[in-house]
Amino acid sequence: MTARYDPELPRLDANTPSSARIYDYLLGGSYNFAVDREAAQGMIAAFPALPQVLRTGRAFVRRATRYLAAEQGVTQYLDLGSGIPTVRNVHEIAQAAQGKESTRVAYVDIDPVAVAHARRILHGNPAVTCVQADLRNPAAVCANPDIRAVIDFSRPVAVMLNAVLHFIPDDEEASSIVGAYLDAVPAGSYLILGHHTSDSVDTAEAEARQIYARTTQPLVPRSRAKITAFFAGTELVEPGVVLTPNWRPDPAEMSEQPPGDTPLYFGYAGVGRK
Ligand SMILES: C[S@@+](CC[C@H](N)C(=O)[O-])C[C@H]1O[C@@H](n2cnc3c(N)ncnc32)[C@H](O)[C@@H]1O
């Protein structure tokens, strides 16, 4: 896999917490440094349910990918802000449904650790790539030769933006980014989107969010109405934009849901068809 170096993009920095590595730690991964673990521990102390909230978001990505690959025959996935790959990632799920030969996946992340790790585990998977890029520049992402070597933009693509758009504070910028990716793909493509919400008010969650803002980048929750607006130009797949665990729940994954009735509903998720 080609490693292109862009001086505009961040380089590995083990002294500053990174949202990708904090996320990895919170999901139980091992691709993180002491500064990341310290920041993550502060968040867990403020909001003990955080790891489960994140696992709920990750489970949505798996269900949505499985739905598109197994039920809608989608073979191409552009995963923007893909993070550090964890077990049962997008390409594994899509390949299980569509076969290794026909599944094409491009992971895109700004974090060098996420990209380096992805490249290691993707070795031997020529139809899957990982590119370090800033998703806020859709024209550059869609023109990137490494991505174009894998994704054919004349055929349907699932554009994935899970747990990342809430790092873009400006509503207009966020919707123009989503619009630009949807413009770059043909009819029959899909948008998979999960987003942190402001609808639930919880002081512990708000404190964890403040630690996030101090340590990495501000995380901007949005209302269900604003999150739904990102799907403009698509037809929402049933059940629409719903609390993340309620998007086509899979009984086989119920063990990942928290026991009892803890309200781990800090995000909305949906899938739309262009
Ligand atoms: C919370 S993680 C979500 C990972 C994955 N999408 C998931 O749902 O499990 C957010 C990821 O977005 C990446 N990210 C944040 N801003 C980005 C940007 N402007 N361009 C590309 N990636 C970005 C971070 O590096 C991090 O890996």
mmCIF file of all heavy atoms in Angstrom, residues 208-258:
data_model
loop_
_atom_site.group_PDB
_atom_site.id
_atom_site.type_symbol
_atom_site.label_atom_id
_atom_site.label_comp_id
_atom_site.label_asym_id
_atom_site.label_seq_id
_atom_site.Cartn_x
_atom_site.Cartn_y
_atom_site.Cartn_z
ATOM 1 N N ALA A 208 -18.174 14.653 30.786
ATOM 2 C CA ALA A 208 -17.270 13.857 29.946
ATOM 3 C C ALA A 208 -16.991 14.602 28.642
ATOM 4 O O ALA A 208 -15.869 14.619 28.133
ATOM 5 C CB ALA A 208 -17.881 12.497 29.653
ATOM 6 N N ARG A 209 -18.005 15.242 28.108
ATOM 7 C CA ARG A 209 -17.855 15.989 26.858
ATOM 8 C C ARG A 209 -16.894 17.163 27.038
ATOM 9 O O ARG A 209 -16.086 17.480 26.163
ATOM 10 C CB ARG A 209 -19.236 16.464 26.405
ATOM 11 C CG ARG A 209 -19.254 16.871 24.991
ATOM 12 C CD ARG A 209 -20.633 16.942 24.366
ATOM 13 N NE ARG A 209 -21.792 16.741 25.155
ATOM 14 C CZ ARG A 209 -22.609 17.723 25.559
ATOM 15 N NH1 ARG A 209 -22.314 18.972 25.278
ATOM 16 N NH2 ARG A 209 -23.693 17.449 26.236
ATOM 17 N N GLN A 210 -16.963 17.787 28.226
ATOM 18 C CA GLN A 210 -16.045 18.905 28.478
ATOM 19 C C GLN A 210 -14.596 18.426 28.556
ATOM 20 O O GLN A 210 -13.687 19.086 28.064
ATOM 21 C CB GLN A 210 -16.416 19.600 29.785
ATOM 22 C CG GLN A 210 -17.496 20.643 29.560
ATOM 23 C CD GLN A 210 -18.030 21.185 30.866
ATOM 24 O OE1 GLN A 210 -17.405 21.044 31.910
ATOM 25 N NE2 GLN A 210 -19.182 21.808 30.806
ATOM 26 N N ILE A 211 -14.387 17.249 29.160
ATOM 27 C CA ILE A 211 -13.020 16.706 29.218
ATOM 28 C C ILE A 211 -12.542 16.453 27.789
ATOM 29 O O ILE A 211 -11.411 16.747 27.429
ATOM 30 C CB ILE A 211 -12.975 15.406 30.051
ATOM 31 C CG1 ILE A 211 -13.420 15.688 31.487
ATOM 32 C CG2 ILE A 211 -11.571 14.802 30.040
ATOM 33 C CD1 ILE A 211 -13.575 14.461 32.355
ATOM 34 N N TYR A 212 -13.426 15.921 26.963
ATOM 35 C CA TYR A 212 -13.100 15.682 25.553
ATOM 36 C C TYR A 212 -12.658 16.984 24.899
ATOM 37 O O TYR A 212 -11.640 17.050 24.199
ATOM 38 C CB TYR A 212 -14.342 15.155 24.831
ATOM 39 C CG TYR A 212 -14.048 14.034 23.889
ATOM 40 C CD1 TYR A 212 -14.435 12.746 24.189
ATOM 41 C CD2 TYR A 212 -13.371 14.258 22.689
ATOM 42 C CE1 TYR A 212 -14.162 11.698 23.337
ATOM 43 C CE2 TYR A 212 -13.098 13.218 21.826
ATOM 44 C CZ TYR A 212 -13.493 11.946 22.156
ATOM 45 O OH TYR A 212 -13.211 10.910 21.304
ATOM 46 N N ALA A 213 -13.418 18.037 25.146
ATOM 47 C CA ALA A 213 -13.109 19.326 24.524
ATOM 48 C C ALA A 213 -11.756 19.853 24.990
ATOM 49 O O ALA A 213 -10.993 20.411 24.209
ATOM 50 C CB ALA A 213 -14.209 20.330 24.848
ATOM 51 N N ARG A 214 -11.449 19.658 26.266
ATOM 52 C CA ARG A 214 -10.171 20.150 26.794
ATOM 53 C C ARG A 214 -9.006 19.333 26.262
ATOM 54 O O ARG A 214 -7.925 19.860 26.037
ATOM 55 C CB ARG A 214 -10.166 20.042 28.332
ATOM 56 C CG ARG A 214 -10.939 21.154 29.038
ATOM 57 C CD ARG A 214 -10.473 21.299 30.479
ATOM 58 N NE ARG A 214 -10.659 20.108 31.285
ATOM 59 C CZ ARG A 214 -11.811 19.775 31.881
ATOM 60 N NH1 ARG A 214 -12.858 20.544 31.760
ATOM 61 N NH2 ARG A 214 -11.910 18.677 32.609
ATOM 62 N N THR A 215 -9.214 18.008 26.074
ATOM 63 C CA THR A 215 -8.082 17.158 25.742
ATOM 64 C C THR A 215 -7.857 16.985 24.244
ATOM 65 O O THR A 215 -6.721 16.958 23.792
ATOM 66 C CB THR A 215 -8.248 15.756 26.370
ATOM 67 O OG1 THR A 215 -9.557 15.301 26.093
ATOM 68 C CG2 THR A 215 -8.027 15.792 27.854
ATOM 69 N N THR A 216 -8.897 16.839 23.483
ATOM 70 C CA THR A 216 -8.669 16.632 22.044
ATOM 71 C C THR A 216 -9.363 17.725 21.245
ATOM 72 O O THR A 216 -8.787 18.749 20.951
ATOM 73 C CB THR A 216 -9.161 15.243 21.569
ATOM 74 O OG1 THR A 216 -10.535 15.108 21.865
ATOM 75 C CG2 THR A 216 -8.384 14.125 22.211
ATOM 76 N N GLN A 217 -10.591 17.523 20.928
ATOM 77 C CA GLN A 217 -11.315 18.519 20.143
ATOM 78 C C GLN A 217 -12.745 18.581 20.669
ATOM 79 O O GLN A 217 -13.237 17.606 21.223
ATOM 80 C CB GLN A 217 -11.288 18.158 18.655
ATOM 81 C CG GLN A 217 -11.781 16.760 18.370
ATOM 82 C CD GLN A 217 -11.442 16.297 16.966
ATOM 83 O OE1 GLN A 217 -10.995 15.194 16.777
ATOM 84 N NE2 GLN A 217 -11.671 17.106 15.974
ATOM 85 N N PRO A 218 -13.417 19.713 20.526
ATOM 86 C CA PRO A 218 -14.778 19.797 21.034
ATOM 87 C C PRO A 218 -15.698 18.813 20.328
ATOM 88 O O PRO A 218 -15.552 18.569 19.129
ATOM 89 C CB PRO A 218 -15.197 21.237 20.702
ATOM 90 C CG PRO A 218 -13.979 21.937 20.269
ATOM 91 C CD PRO A 218 -12.958 20.922 19.876
ATOM 92 N N LEU A 219 -16.583 18.241 21.108
ATOM 93 C CA LEU A 219 -17.541 17.299 20.550
ATOM 94 C C LEU A 219 -18.895 18.009 20.612
ATOM 95 O O LEU A 219 -19.343 18.403 21.677
ATOM 96 C CB LEU A 219 -17.518 16.051 21.433
ATOM 97 C CG LEU A 219 -18.225 14.808 20.952
ATOM 98 C CD1 LEU A 219 -17.566 13.578 21.566
ATOM 99 C CD2 LEU A 219 -19.671 14.827 21.308
ATOM 100 N N VAL A 220 -19.493 18.210 19.451
ATOM 101 C CA VAL A 220 -20.706 19.018 19.390
ATOM 102 C C VAL A 220 -21.938 18.141 19.186
ATOM 103 O O VAL A 220 -22.154 17.599 18.101
ATOM 104 C CB VAL A 220 -20.609 20.017 18.209
ATOM 105 C CG1 VAL A 220 -21.789 20.966 18.211
ATOM 106 C CG2 VAL A 220 -19.317 20.775 18.289
ATOM 107 N N PRO A 221 -22.750 17.949 20.245
ATOM 108 C CA PRO A 221 -23.961 17.143 20.073
ATOM 109 C C PRO A 221 -24.982 17.914 19.250
ATOM 110 O O PRO A 221 -24.944 19.148 19.204
ATOM 111 C CB PRO A 221 -24.453 16.928 21.504
ATOM 112 C CG PRO A 221 -23.882 18.041 22.291
ATOM 113 C CD PRO A 221 -22.662 18.543 21.590
ATOM 114 N N ARG A 222 -25.872 17.199 18.574
ATOM 115 C CA ARG A 222 -26.934 17.881 17.810
ATOM 116 C C ARG A 222 -28.282 17.234 18.113
ATOM 117 O O ARG A 222 -28.355 16.091 18.561
ATOM 118 C CB ARG A 222 -26.642 17.816 16.300
ATOM 119 C CG ARG A 222 -25.453 18.660 15.871
ATOM 120 C CD ARG A 222 -25.314 18.785 14.358
ATOM 121 N NE ARG A 222 -24.330 19.815 13.991
ATOM 122 C CZ ARG A 222 -23.042 19.585 13.766
ATOM 123 N NH1 ARG A 222 -22.558 18.370 13.844
ATOM 124 N NH2 ARG A 222 -22.235 20.578 13.439
ATOM 125 N N SER A 223 -29.330 17.988 17.821
ATOM 126 C CA SER A 223 -30.685 17.483 18.048
ATOM 127 C C SER A 223 -31.025 16.449 16.967
ATOM 128 O O SER A 223 -30.393 16.401 15.899
ATOM 129 C CB SER A 223 -31.674 18.637 17.953
ATOM 130 O OG SER A 223 -31.667 19.132 16.633
ATOM 131 N N ARG A 224 -32.077 15.690 17.226
ATOM 132 C CA ARG A 224 -32.509 14.694 16.237
ATOM 133 C C ARG A 224 -32.884 15.386 14.923
ATOM 134 O O ARG A 224 -32.566 14.875 13.835
ATOM 135 C CB ARG A 224 -33.706 13.916 16.785
ATOM 136 C CG ARG A 224 -34.241 12.907 15.813
ATOM 137 C CD ARG A 224 -35.180 11.929 16.493
ATOM 138 N NE ARG A 224 -35.653 10.947 15.542
ATOM 139 C CZ ARG A 224 -36.822 11.015 14.920
ATOM 140 N NH1 ARG A 224 -37.637 12.025 15.155
ATOM 141 N NH2 ARG A 224 -37.168 10.091 14.066
ATOM 142 N N ALA A 225 -33.502 16.570 15.024
ATOM 143 C CA ALA A 225 -33.920 17.279 13.805
ATOM 144 C C ALA A 225 -32.695 17.652 12.961
ATOM 145 O O ALA A 225 -32.690 17.481 11.731
ATOM 146 C CB ALA A 225 -34.704 18.534 14.185
ATOM 147 N N LYS A 226 -31.650 18.138 13.627
ATOM 148 C CA LYS A 226 -30.445 18.522 12.866
ATOM 149 C C LYS A 226 -29.754 17.292 12.279
ATOM 150 O O LYS A 226 -29.227 17.333 11.165
ATOM 151 C CB LYS A 226 -29.461 19.259 13.781
ATOM 152 C CG LYS A 226 -29.843 20.702 14.039
ATOM 153 C CD LYS A 226 -28.738 21.420 14.768
ATOM 154 C CE LYS A 226 -29.108 22.888 14.975
ATOM 155 N NZ LYS A 226 -28.038 23.628 15.652
ATOM 156 N N ILE A 227 -29.753 16.210 13.037
ATOM 157 C CA ILE A 227 -29.104 14.989 12.535
ATOM 158 C C ILE A 227 -29.899 14.444 11.339
ATOM 159 O O ILE A 227 -29.334 14.049 10.322
ATOM 160 C CB ILE A 227 -28.966 13.940 13.674
ATOM 161 C CG1 ILE A 227 -28.038 14.494 14.772
ATOM 162 C CG2 ILE A 227 -28.430 12.607 13.142
ATOM 163 C CD1 ILE A 227 -28.042 13.727 16.083
ATOM 164 N N THR A 228 -31.217 14.512 11.445
ATOM 165 C CA THR A 228 -32.065 14.037 10.341
ATOM 166 C C THR A 228 -31.823 14.878 9.082
ATOM 167 O O THR A 228 -31.834 14.352 7.964
ATOM 168 C CB THR A 228 -33.559 14.095 10.752
ATOM 169 O OG1 THR A 228 -33.717 13.343 11.950
ATOM 170 C CG2 THR A 228 -34.466 13.528 9.677
ATOM 171 N N ALA A 229 -31.558 16.167 9.278
ATOM 172 C CA ALA A 229 -31.346 17.057 8.123
ATOM 173 C C ALA A 229 -30.113 16.645 7.303
ATOM 174 O O ALA A 229 -30.031 16.942 6.106
ATOM 175 C CB ALA A 229 -31.212 18.502 8.602
ATOM 176 N N PHE A 230 -29.159 15.958 7.924
ATOM 177 C CA PHE A 230 -27.987 15.502 7.163
ATOM 178 C C PHE A 230 -28.370 14.501 6.068
ATOM 179 O O PHE A 230 -27.605 14.272 5.139
ATOM 180 C CB PHE A 230 -26.946 14.853 8.086
ATOM 181 C CG PHE A 230 -26.242 15.829 8.994
ATOM 182 C CD1 PHE A 230 -26.069 15.552 10.340
ATOM 183 C CD2 PHE A 230 -25.730 17.024 8.499
ATOM 184 C CE1 PHE A 230 -25.417 16.438 11.172
ATOM 185 C CE2 PHE A 230 -25.078 17.921 9.332
ATOM 186 C CZ PHE A 230 -24.921 17.631 10.671
ATOM 187 N N PHE A 231 -29.547 13.904 6.200
ATOM 188 C CA PHE A 231 -29.965 12.889 5.229
ATOM 189 C C PHE A 231 -30.692 13.495 4.028
ATOM 190 O O PHE A 231 -31.243 12.756 3.212
ATOM 191 C CB PHE A 231 -30.859 11.840 5.906
ATOM 192 C CG PHE A 231 -30.100 10.933 6.844
ATOM 193 C CD1 PHE A 231 -29.952 11.257 8.185
ATOM 194 C CD2 PHE A 231 -29.503 9.767 6.381
ATOM 195 C CE1 PHE A 231 -29.240 10.434 9.052
ATOM 196 C CE2 PHE A 231 -28.789 8.938 7.237
ATOM 197 C CZ PHE A 231 -28.666 9.272 8.580
ATOM 198 N N ALA A 232 -30.685 14.840 3.931
ATOM 199 C CA ALA A 232 -31.361 15.501 2.803
ATOM 200 C C ALA A 232 -30.859 14.904 1.486
ATOM 201 O O ALA A 232 -29.652 14.701 1.311
ATOM 202 C CB ALA A 232 -31.077 16.993 2.848
ATOM 203 N N GLY A 233 -31.791 14.627 0.589
ATOM 204 C CA GLY A 233 -31.393 14.056 -0.707
ATOM 205 C C GLY A 233 -31.358 12.538 -0.675
ATOM 206 O O GLY A 233 -31.033 11.904 -1.679
ATOM 207 N N THR A 234 -31.682 11.945 0.470
ATOM 208 C CA THR A 234 -31.752 10.484 0.536
ATOM 209 C C THR A 234 -33.128 10.084 1.048
ATOM 210 O O THR A 234 -33.834 10.889 1.658
ATOM 211 C CB THR A 234 -30.698 9.871 1.492
ATOM 212 O OG1 THR A 234 -31.073 10.145 2.851
ATOM 213 C CG2 THR A 234 -29.308 10.410 1.225
ATOM 214 N N GLU A 235 -33.453 8.842 0.812
ATOM 215 C CA GLU A 235 -34.702 8.293 1.352
ATOM 216 C C GLU A 235 -34.306 7.430 2.540
ATOM 217 O O GLU A 235 -33.480 6.501 2.400
ATOM 218 C CB GLU A 235 -35.349 7.433 0.262
ATOM 219 C CG GLU A 235 -36.758 7.036 0.564
ATOM 220 C CD GLU A 235 -37.327 6.195 -0.580
ATOM 221 O OE1 GLU A 235 -37.022 6.525 -1.758
ATOM 222 O OE2 GLU A 235 -38.011 5.224 -0.279
ATOM 223 N N LEU A 236 -34.890 7.752 3.702
ATOM 224 C CA LEU A 236 -34.486 7.020 4.904
ATOM 225 C C LEU A 236 -34.978 5.577 4.871
ATOM 226 O O LEU A 236 -36.130 5.311 4.553
ATOM 227 C CB LEU A 236 -35.026 7.716 6.150
ATOM 228 C CG LEU A 236 -34.246 8.971 6.571
ATOM 229 C CD1 LEU A 236 -35.029 9.761 7.612
ATOM 230 C CD2 LEU A 236 -32.871 8.592 7.112
ATOM 231 N N VAL A 237 -34.066 4.692 5.197
ATOM 232 C CA VAL A 237 -34.394 3.284 5.330
ATOM 233 C C VAL A 237 -35.116 3.114 6.669
ATOM 234 O O VAL A 237 -34.785 3.801 7.639
ATOM 235 C CB VAL A 237 -33.054 2.482 5.319
ATOM 236 C CG1 VAL A 237 -33.230 1.074 5.837
ATOM 237 C CG2 VAL A 237 -32.421 2.520 3.944
ATOM 238 N N GLU A 238 -36.094 2.219 6.747
ATOM 239 C CA GLU A 238 -36.784 1.949 8.029
ATOM 240 C C GLU A 238 -35.780 1.534 9.096
ATOM 241 O O GLU A 238 -34.847 0.801 8.756
ATOM 242 C CB GLU A 238 -37.828 0.836 7.847
ATOM 243 C CG GLU A 238 -39.101 1.319 7.161
ATOM 244 C CD GLU A 238 -39.849 2.378 7.968
ATOM 245 O OE1 GLU A 238 -39.954 2.204 9.192
ATOM 246 O OE2 GLU A 238 -40.277 3.377 7.374
ATOM 247 N N PRO A 239 -35.828 1.957 10.309
ATOM 248 C CA PRO A 239 -36.887 2.736 10.945
ATOM 249 C C PRO A 239 -36.615 4.240 10.973
ATOM 250 O O PRO A 239 -37.170 4.930 11.824
ATOM 251 C CB PRO A 239 -36.869 2.182 12.373
ATOM 252 C CG PRO A 239 -35.412 1.895 12.624
ATOM 253 C CD PRO A 239 -34.846 1.477 11.298
ATOM 254 N N GLY A 240 -35.801 4.767 10.077
ATOM 255 C CA GLY A 240 -35.515 6.203 10.055
ATOM 256 C C GLY A 240 -34.371 6.551 10.996
ATOM 257 O O GLY A 240 -33.518 5.712 11.287
ATOM 258 N N VAL A 241 -34.362 7.806 11.442
ATOM 259 C CA VAL A 241 -33.307 8.260 12.361
ATOM 260 C C VAL A 241 -33.807 8.014 13.781
ATOM 261 O O VAL A 241 -34.768 8.640 14.222
ATOM 262 C CB VAL A 241 -32.976 9.750 12.130
ATOM 263 C CG1 VAL A 241 -31.968 10.241 13.163
ATOM 264 C CG2 VAL A 241 -32.453 9.959 10.713
ATOM 265 N N VAL A 242 -33.173 7.076 14.458
ATOM 266 C CA VAL A 242 -33.658 6.641 15.778
ATOM 267 C C VAL A 242 -32.486 6.597 16.763
ATOM 268 O O VAL A 242 -31.319 6.673 16.367
ATOM 269 C CB VAL A 242 -34.306 5.236 15.694
ATOM 270 C CG1 VAL A 242 -35.605 5.285 14.904
ATOM 271 C CG2 VAL A 242 -33.337 4.232 15.065
ATOM 272 N N LEU A 243 -32.819 6.460 18.029
ATOM 273 C CA LEU A 243 -31.766 6.274 19.027
ATOM 274 C C LEU A 243 -30.915 5.077 18.597
ATOM 275 O O LEU A 243 -31.456 4.052 18.153
ATOM 276 C CB LEU A 243 -32.391 6.045 20.401
ATOM 277 C CG LEU A 243 -33.129 7.281 20.954
ATOM 278 C CD1 LEU A 243 -34.001 6.908 22.139
ATOM 279 C CD2 LEU A 243 -32.135 8.371 21.327
ATOM 280 N N THR A 244 -29.612 5.233 18.724
ATOM 281 C CA THR A 244 -28.676 4.271 18.118
ATOM 282 C C THR A 244 -29.016 2.796 18.373
ATOM 283 O O THR A 244 -29.029 2.010 17.429
ATOM 284 C CB THR A 244 -27.250 4.594 18.582
ATOM 285 O OG1 THR A 244 -27.038 5.989 18.348
ATOM 286 C CG2 THR A 244 -26.212 3.802 17.834
ATOM 287 N N PRO A 245 -29.327 2.397 19.614
ATOM 288 C CA PRO A 245 -29.581 0.959 19.819
ATOM 289 C C PRO A 245 -30.859 0.483 19.139
ATOM 290 O O PRO A 245 -31.056 -0.712 18.976
ATOM 291 C CB PRO A 245 -29.721 0.815 21.343
ATOM 292 C CG PRO A 245 -29.408 2.141 21.929
ATOM 293 C CD PRO A 245 -29.457 3.172 20.855
ATOM 294 N N ASN A 246 -31.707 1.433 18.723
ATOM 295 C CA ASN A 246 -33.001 1.040 18.145
ATOM 296 C C ASN A 246 -32.966 0.896 16.627
ATOM 297 O O ASN A 246 -33.993 0.606 16.015
ATOM 298 C CB ASN A 246 -34.084 2.070 18.526
ATOM 299 C CG ASN A 246 -34.305 2.108 20.023
ATOM 300 O OD1 ASN A 246 -33.886 1.198 20.724
ATOM 301 N ND2 ASN A 246 -34.940 3.158 20.514
ATOM 302 N N TRP A 247 -31.808 1.123 16.027
ATOM 303 C CA TRP A 247 -31.734 0.955 14.573
ATOM 304 C C TRP A 247 -31.572 -0.535 14.267
ATOM 305 O O TRP A 247 -30.499 -1.085 14.426
ATOM 306 C CB TRP A 247 -30.591 1.771 13.947
ATOM 307 C CG TRP A 247 -30.793 1.900 12.463
ATOM 308 C CD1 TRP A 247 -31.476 2.856 11.800
ATOM 309 C CD2 TRP A 247 -30.329 0.961 11.463
ATOM 310 N NE1 TRP A 247 -31.495 2.590 10.456
ATOM 311 C CE2 TRP A 247 -30.798 1.430 10.215
ATOM 312 C CE3 TRP A 247 -29.605 -0.222 11.498
ATOM 313 C CZ2 TRP A 247 -30.540 0.763 9.026
ATOM 314 C CZ3 TRP A 247 -29.350 -0.896 10.303
ATOM 315 C CH2 TRP A 247 -29.817 -0.391 9.082
ATOM 316 N N ARG A 248 -32.667 -1.142 13.812
ATOM 317 C CA ARG A 248 -32.675 -2.575 13.457
ATOM 318 C C ARG A 248 -31.881 -3.423 14.454
ATOM 319 O O ARG A 248 -30.880 -4.052 14.080
ATOM 320 C CB ARG A 248 -32.126 -2.777 12.045
ATOM 321 C CG ARG A 248 -33.027 -2.143 11.010
ATOM 322 C CD ARG A 248 -32.519 -2.333 9.604
ATOM 323 N NE ARG A 248 -33.470 -1.756 8.687
ATOM 324 C CZ ARG A 248 -34.181 -2.437 7.782
ATOM 325 N NH1 ARG A 248 -34.035 -3.714 7.642
ATOM 326 N NH2 ARG A 248 -35.039 -1.822 7.000
ATOM 327 N N PRO A 249 -32.321 -3.449 15.724
ATOM 328 C CA PRO A 249 -31.575 -4.219 16.723
ATOM 329 C C PRO A 249 -31.444 -5.684 16.325
ATOM 330 O O PRO A 249 -32.352 -6.237 15.705
ATOM 331 C CB PRO A 249 -32.409 -4.063 18.001
ATOM 332 C CG PRO A 249 -33.615 -3.294 17.636
ATOM 333 C CD PRO A 249 -33.534 -2.828 16.226
ATOM 334 N N ASP A 250 -30.310 -6.236 16.638
ATOM 335 C CA ASP A 250 -30.036 -7.619 16.281
ATOM 336 C C ASP A 250 -29.974 -8.428 17.578
ATOM 337 O O ASP A 250 -29.098 -8.197 18.401
ATOM 338 C CB ASP A 250 -28.685 -7.658 15.543
ATOM 339 C CG ASP A 250 -28.275 -9.064 15.174
ATOM 340 O OD1 ASP A 250 -28.959 -10.019 15.594
ATOM 341 O OD2 ASP A 250 -27.248 -9.200 14.473
ATOM 342 N N PRO A 251 -30.905 -9.397 17.734
ATOM 343 C CA PRO A 251 -30.916 -10.162 18.991
ATOM 344 C C PRO A 251 -29.559 -10.799 19.290
ATOM 345 O O PRO A 251 -29.170 -10.924 20.443
ATOM 346 C CB PRO A 251 -31.979 -11.239 18.744
ATOM 347 C CG PRO A 251 -32.797 -10.720 17.610
ATOM 348 C CD PRO A 251 -31.939 -9.797 16.799
ATOM 349 N N ALA A 252 -28.813 -11.135 18.233
ATOM 350 C CA ALA A 252 -27.510 -11.775 18.444
ATOM 351 C C ALA A 252 -26.523 -10.818 19.107
ATOM 352 O O ALA A 252 -25.526 -11.244 19.679
ATOM 353 C CB ALA A 252 -26.949 -12.251 17.118
ATOM 354 N N GLU A 253 -26.799 -9.518 18.999
ATOM 355 C CA GLU A 253 -25.868 -8.535 19.563
ATOM 356 C C GLU A 253 -26.396 -7.962 20.869
ATOM 357 O O GLU A 253 -25.781 -7.068 21.430
ATOM 358 C CB GLU A 253 -25.631 -7.403 18.572
ATOM 359 C CG GLU A 253 -24.735 -7.816 17.432
ATOM 360 C CD GLU A 253 -24.037 -6.639 16.779
ATOM 361 O OE1 GLU A 253 -24.587 -5.538 16.815
ATOM 362 O OE2 GLU A 253 -22.944 -6.853 16.235
ATOM 363 N N MET A 254 -27.503 -8.474 21.348
ATOM 364 C CA MET A 254 -28.111 -7.897 22.542
ATOM 365 C C MET A 254 -27.189 -7.968 23.746
ATOM 366 O O MET A 254 -27.275 -7.150 24.655
ATOM 367 C CB MET A 254 -29.438 -8.578 22.875
ATOM 368 C CG MET A 254 -30.562 -8.077 21.995
ATOM 369 S SD MET A 254 -30.564 -6.300 21.773
ATOM 370 C CE MET A 254 -32.235 -5.994 21.347
ATOM 371 N N SER A 255 -26.283 -8.945 23.756
ATOM 372 C CA SER A 255 -25.378 -9.069 24.897
ATOM 373 C C SER A 255 -24.504 -7.823 25.016
ATOM 374 O O SER A 255 -23.945 -7.547 26.066
ATOM 375 C CB SER A 255 -24.497 -10.299 24.734
ATOM 376 O OG SER A 255 -23.782 -10.183 23.534
ATOM 377 N N GLU A 256 -24.377 -7.072 23.898
ATOM 378 C CA GLU A 256 -23.561 -5.860 23.953
ATOM 379 C C GLU A 256 -24.340 -4.687 24.520
ATOM 380 O O GLU A 256 -23.777 -3.639 24.790
ATOM 381 C CB GLU A 256 -23.053 -5.500 22.562
ATOM 382 C CG GLU A 256 -22.151 -6.581 22.018
ATOM 383 C CD GLU A 256 -21.482 -6.167 20.739
ATOM 384 O OE1 GLU A 256 -21.433 -4.962 20.465
ATOM 385 O OE2 GLU A 256 -21.019 -7.056 20.021
ATOM 386 N N GLN A 257 -25.633 -4.856 24.648
ATOM 387 C CA GLN A 257 -26.435 -3.787 25.235
ATOM 388 C C GLN A 257 -26.302 -3.872 26.750
ATOM 389 O O GLN A 257 -26.107 -4.938 27.296
ATOM 390 C CB GLN A 257 -27.910 -3.948 24.849
ATOM 391 C CG GLN A 257 -28.138 -3.974 23.357
ATOM 392 C CD GLN A 257 -27.851 -2.642 22.700
ATOM 393 O OE1 GLN A 257 -28.056 -1.608 23.292
ATOM 394 N NE2 GLN A 257 -27.356 -2.661 21.487
ATOM 395 N N PRO A 258 -26.395 -2.750 27.427
ATOM 396 C CA PRO A 258 -26.245 -2.769 28.874
ATOM 397 C C PRO A 258 -27.409 -3.476 29.548
ATOM 398 O O PRO A 258 -28.527 -3.439 29.044
ATOM 399 C CB PRO A 258 -26.253 -1.284 29.227
ATOM 400 C CG PRO A 258 -26.980 -0.642 28.111
ATOM 401 C CD PRO A 258 -26.692 -1.439 26.880
#
